[in-house]
Amino acid sequence: IRAGVAWPSPRFTVSGDCVTDNLTGLMWTKDANLSGTYKTWQQALDYAGGLSLCGYTDWRLPNRKELRSLVDYSNNQVALPSGHPFSSLGSGSNGYYWTSTSFARDGYNAWFVAVGDDGSVTGNDKNQYHPVWPVRGGI
């Protein structure tokens, strides 16, 4: 999180099936639900870790801070900034994306971010099913 840093213009650069966030340097899949299905937390980790896309094989599940970095908290209706280039975003409970971050107090839950809703950060049982949005790079 780069608090106080002005957003670059353009915020995102699209290159084929991948999008680079010019604020964080992270690269995201353009399709926010590339797998087309919902997965448990472990399935999400495995899917992201096995992805080969845009010439890269170092894809992974984003941590909580990385996924939250996409959220525009000044917009009360939709979590992502206006004009974002992403597709297949879920909405409501279908827009809660897994992060790689487990609960510190137990190993049974992991955090997810309501990217397709209000940007809230909540936890859920790792055996529940949510969409997977792979990322590469690091903040």
Side-chain angles (χ1 to χ4, degrees):
I1 307 264
R2 300 177 64 198
V5 174
W7 284 7
S9 181
R11 167 76 191 266
F12 302 104
T13 300
V14 179
S15 179
D17 293 326
C18 298
V19 175
T20 299
D21 182 341
N22 295 316
L23 178 63
T24 63
L26 293 169
M27 182 178 282
W28 299 88
T29 60
K30 185 175 179 183
D31 186 333
N33 190 12
L34 190 64
S35 72
T37 62
Y38 299 150
K39 299 184 180 302
T40 66
W41 185 75
Q42 186 61 56
Q43 290 170 339
L45 288 171
D46 294 342
Y47 174 79
L51 188 61
S52 177
L53 187 67
C54 298
Y56 299 99
T57 58
D58 59 344
W59 294 91
R60 58 186 170 74
L61 201 57
N63 66 41
R64 184 173 60 177
K65 287 182 181 180
E66 291 169 332
L67 193 52
R68 283 188 64 213
S69 74
L70 290 174
V71 175
D72 176 1
Y73 287 102
S74 70
N75 184 348
N76 294 328
Q77 298 299 319
V78 180
L80 294 180
S82 61
H84 69 80
F86 303 107
S87 63
S88 301
L89 283 167
S91 61
S93 62
N94 293 328
Y96 290 24
Y97 288 80
W98 280 123
T99 75
S100 62
T101 310
S102 290
F103 272 28
R105 69 177 179 253
D106 69 50
Y108 303 107
N109 295 286
W111 294 99
F112 58 84
V113 178
V115 176
D117 194 17
D118 63 0
S120 60
V121 180
T122 314
N124 205 344
D125 182 311
K126 291 179 179 179
N127 292 315
Q128 298 298 312
Y129 290 84
H130 293 287
V132 181
W133 196 354
V135 69
R136 63 170 301 278
I139 293 179

